[in-house]
Every structure is written in C-alpha cells, then in structure tokens.
Amino acid sequence: MTSMNFNYGKGFTFSKHIPEEVSHFDRVFDIFKDILTHTSGDIEEAFEWLDTLDKEYNIFTDEYTLQDFENDLKKRGYIKEEIDPEKGNTGNGSGKGKNVLTAKLESALRAYALDQIFGKLKKSGLGNHNTSKLGKGDEHNGEHRAYQFGDDLAMINMTESIKNAQVNNGISDLRLTENDLIVEETKHKAQMSTVLMIDISHSMILYGEDRITPAKKVAMALVELIHRKYPKDSIDVIVFGNEAWPIKIKDLPYLKVGPYHTNTVAGLELAMDILRRKRNTNKQIFMITDGKPSCIQLPTGEFYKNSFGLDEMIVSKCLNKAAQARKLKIPITTFMIAKDPHLRRFVELFTEQNRGKAFLTGLSGLGQMIFEDYEKNRKRRI
C-alpha cells in the first residue's frame, strides 16, 4: 500500500503507506462503545461480550488485557464503582462495587453514534437553518441593496453608501442622501423544536431482530447533531409503549423495550403537549416505530388493546391526532423500520391526515434518512 504526496514543482512523490498508530485503549474503546449500546448500558454484560469476542478475534494481548482496559476506563473517568448501600461491602475486603457509566461515557456514546450515522461534523457557533426570507434578520449574507423606508439604520453599510455618494455626486460635491444609502441583506435563522418519539413496544425485539439498538443510535446521533450544529434548537425525546413518557438525554444508552403494546396516541399527545409550550413557530415530530398502533387508554383509565390487524377504533384515534397536529402546523415524519403490510397501510392513512412524510426503511439507512429530512425540513419551513 502506498501513499501519495504532492511535491510542488516536481509532481507527485509515492512512498510506503504508514498506518496511523492507534493506542490499545482507543482500539478496544470503539468496540466497547458499540457493545455498550446493545447492552443498554450494562457494563458487566459488555465486559462479558468483550471476553467472548476476545476468544475468537484476539482483541486483547498479554501486553494489554481486559483488566488493563477496565482500569483505563476508570482512570479516564468513563466508568466508576458504586457500592450498593443495602449490600455494603462484599465482606471479602476487596471493596469492589458495581461499575456504572459516568456522564463522560454517556457523552462519548452520543458522539460515537453521531460519527457512525452522520459522519464527522465540526461544531459551529450559530448553526441554524437558513430560510429563503430576506429582510431584518440575524445573519449577514454578503448581499447589498438600496435603502428602503423602514429599514433599520444599523444595517446601513457606510463604506458602500459613501462610495455610492461619490459615484452619484462626485468628489467635489460630496454629500450623502437617502438615495445613496446601501443596506446589507440579512437572513433569518429559523429555530426548530423537535420531538423524537421512539417505540419501545415488545415487537422492537421480536423475531430475533434487534430494532431498538439502531433506534437508540439514531436518537443519540440526532441529539448530538443538534447540540453541535444547531445550538439554538431544542430536541425532546419521548418513548411510547402502553403509555408515553419523556426521557432525559443522558438516559438514551439505557433504553430498553418492555412488555408493551403500541400506544401511538399517547405518544402523539405528549409530543404535541411538549411542542405547545415551545415559543418558536417551527415545530416537528419524528416517530420511529416498527408496529401498528395496538393500544389506547380509555376515559376510565383502562387500556384497550388489540394486536390483530388494524383496529378501527385505535386507528381512528391516531388519525384524529394526526389531523390535530396538522392544524397546529406540526408535521410528523414517520420512519417505519419494518415491512408489515398492516403498518404500511396505517402509515399511508396517517401521513395523508397529517400531510407529513413517511419513509419505509430497513435498519441500516435510518440515520441518514432522518438527517437528510431534518436538514430539508428546516431549510424550507418558516
């Protein structure tokens, strides 16, 4: 393998490729982060997986062992030991407690998901999305135009205006009139409030297919993307099974499915309630699901469940919520990570009611699709 360098004046120089050296820790750390997402933050289970993989792929060596890796994680502040106050010390004098993730590792998992799904992005300062609207805004775009009555005087470009006055009146009779004034165009930077809904019903791990792990990765990557590139934006994450509830960003790695049905109505109600409290006008909902709605809560507080086909009453409630969101100007983008014909039909009806978007996708392309739609939505809506 060779590498190529450009030698100015002499053309190209070819030399032997020297691979970049990666430390033992960094090499194992990437594997560990991926496994940790699958184990929902269970460090001991992740260590067991590393040990099993080591037997087949020789991840560790005599020079760098699993114990060395665990010690490095502690030294670098990625994990810490916690003693169960009820159990106290184990009695053997070791004082060894349970390993748990620190906030530093939770952040590293989000960054790793971002890198995996969206590629490496540099953090920007005021990274909000442009709109096509010109006028009084908060970012200069390099364009100029003649002054109009009502323009903010602070937007007048004095250099260009004086230059204009010289052309119009000559140097000998230099005077600055309203007709000479030039202002700088600006663009509004639209802020977006997003709610990401994640289905945690039991079907997300049925039939031997792990659908919750890629959903978690997408959620972590999207959160990290917004924090880095669109710091003025907000993102809230909610999960829905029989009921719906918000989760904190730091809890994403620990997300697990439960013995739940799919109460899409509850998820939409909570998402819209969150967005109603947001002050900016640009709002949207992303919904990642693999199953048709199969549950609603009745006025009595009881749950009505039906997993067979499309239940007319449940579907009707969902379509009503989709129409309600449309009236509130909240588009819903549904990402369907299964090919179930019942779900396909429901998503078609749901999208028609909301006039939103729907994507039928496998697990591999989910992240890129959400990224592209997030960018496009924000560029076109104001």
Side-chain angles (χ1 to χ4, degrees):
M1 186 72 177
T2 60
S3 61
M4 180 174 66
N5 297 314
F6 189 75
N7 191 343
Y8 289 99
K10 297 183 180 180
F12 295 98
T13 302
F14 291 86
S15 61
K16 185 176 180 181
H17 172 68
I18 301 174
E20 183 181 349
E21 286 191 16
V22 179
S23 69
H24 290 303
F25 175 81
D26 289 334
R27 176 176 54 81
V28 182
F29 192 40
D30 277 350
I31 302 170
F32 181 69
K33 284 182 287 189
D34 210 15
I35 295 173
L36 202 56
T37 306
H38 284 272
T39 64
S40 298
D42 189 322
I43 293 177
E44 301 309 323
E45 185 181 350
F47 283 155
E48 290 174 9
W49 272 104
L50 275 178
D51 189 45
T52 300
L53 291 170
D54 177 50
K55 290 179 172 62
E56 185 171 351
Y57 299 105
N58 298 318
I59 295 173
F60 298 103
T61 63
D62 293 337
E63 183 183 346
Y64 194 76
T65 66
L66 177 57
Q67 186 60 55
D68 292 329
F69 177 65
E70 181 178 347
N71 292 338
D72 278 347
L73 287 170
K74 291 175 182 175
K75 289 177 185 176
R76 297 177 187 226
Y78 288 115
I79 66 174
K80 62 182 179 181
E81 284 185 10
E82 279 190 355
I83 305 295
D84 190 329
E86 294 183 3
K87 297 180 180 178
N89 201 311
T90 56
N92 58 12
S94 66
K96 186 173 177 63
K98 179 182 178 182
N99 286 318
V100 295
L101 280 69
T102 63
K104 184 178 181 180
L105 183 48
E106 291 165 354
S107 176
L109 289 175
R110 293 195 297 270
Y112 182 65
L114 174 68
D115 187 43
Q116 275 192 312
I117 293 175
F118 296 147
K120 294 179 180 178
L121 294 171
K122 294 182 180 178
K123 183 175 180 179
S124 61
L126 296 176
N128 287 299
H129 300 261
N130 293 331
T131 73
S132 59
K133 306 296 183 183
L134 297 176
K136 295 180 183 178
D138 55 8
E139 182 176 276
H140 300 281
N141 66 2
E143 300 294 328
H144 299 92
R145 62 172 174 79
Y147 172 83
Q148 298 173 355
F149 179 77
D151 283 338
D152 188 343
L153 295 180
M155 305 312 296
I156 293 176
N157 185 314
M158 290 307 299
T159 302
E160 293 297 323
S161 297
I162 292 172
K163 198 184 296 183
N164 212 26
Q166 289 178 339
V167 172
N168 294 337
N169 305 311
I171 297 178
S172 60
D173 186 26
L174 182 60
R175 63 183 185 277
L176 191 65
T177 68
E178 183 177 325
N179 293 331
D180 302 320
L181 296 179
I182 298 294
V183 298
E184 290 189 63
E185 285 283 24
T186 58
K187 280 192 175 184
H188 290 282
K189 298 296 261 179
Q191 291 175 262
M192 178 69 76
S193 292
T194 300
V195 173
L196 177 62
M197 296 171 52
I198 304 175
D199 183 351
I200 58 167
S201 63
H202 185 57
S203 61
M204 292 289 276
I205 55 168
L206 276 182
Y207 315 117
E209 187 171 55
D210 177 11
R211 298 166 181 171
I212 190 63
T213 296
K216 280 192 294 186
K217 283 186 178 180
V218 165
M220 289 191 289
L222 190 60
V223 166
E224 193 71 7
L225 168 73
I226 290 174
H227 285 171
R228 290 189 186 195
K229 199 174 180 186
Y230 309 106
K232 289 185 176 181
D233 287 7
S234 70
I235 180 166
D236 293 86
V237 182
I238 66 175
V239 295
F240 63 105
N242 290 349
E243 299 176 276
W245 61 93
I247 64 170
K248 295 179 180 179
I249 301 301
K250 70 180 186 66
D251 293 331
L252 277 171
Y254 312 104
L255 196 59
K256 296 180 180 180
V257 301
Y260 308 126
H261 285 69
T262 307
N263 191 342
T264 309
V265 170
L268 293 170
E269 286 177 342
L270 179 57
M272 285 189 282
D273 186 50
I274 290 171
L275 291 174
R276 280 192 193 96
R277 298 194 294 267
K278 303 294 183 181
R279 302 184 70 176
N280 54 299
T281 57
N282 300 286
K283 303 172 183 180
Q284 65 182 351
I285 296 172
F286 287 155
M287 179 169 64
I288 303 175
T289 183
D290 78 326
K292 62 188 179 295
S294 59
C295 174
I296 56 172
Q297 191 166 16
L298 301 174
T300 59
E302 296 178 298
F303 290 102
Y304 171 76
K305 304 171 184 176
N306 184 359
S307 299
F308 300 99
L310 287 175
D311 186 284
E312 187 175 342
M313 182 169 71
I314 296 175
V315 169
S316 176
K317 294 280 187 184
C318 287
L319 297 182
N320 286 342
K321 291 299 172 187
Q324 184 181 344
R326 185 189 72 217
K327 290 178 182 177
L328 293 171
K329 297 183 178 175
I330 300 174
I332 302 169
T333 302
T334 305
F335 296 89
M336 187 178 93
I337 51 177
K339 300 294 177 67
D340 183 279
H342 292 298
L343 177 56
R344 185 187 291 265
R345 178 58 183 152
F346 163 71
V347 170
E348 288 173 356
L349 295 171
F350 184 85
T351 305
E352 183 180 351
Q353 279 293 321
N354 179 255
R355 295 178 189 168
K357 291 191 182 77
F359 294 102
L360 311 180
T361 175
L363 301 178
S364 59
L366 183 59
Q368 188 62 32
M369 291 176 70
I370 285 187
F371 173 68
E372 289 176 355
D373 193 55
Y374 188 81
E375 297 271 286
K376 290 174 184 175
N377 270 1
R378 297 172 50 78
K379 284 181 180 176
R380 70 174 177 79
R381 207 170 45 242
I382 178 69

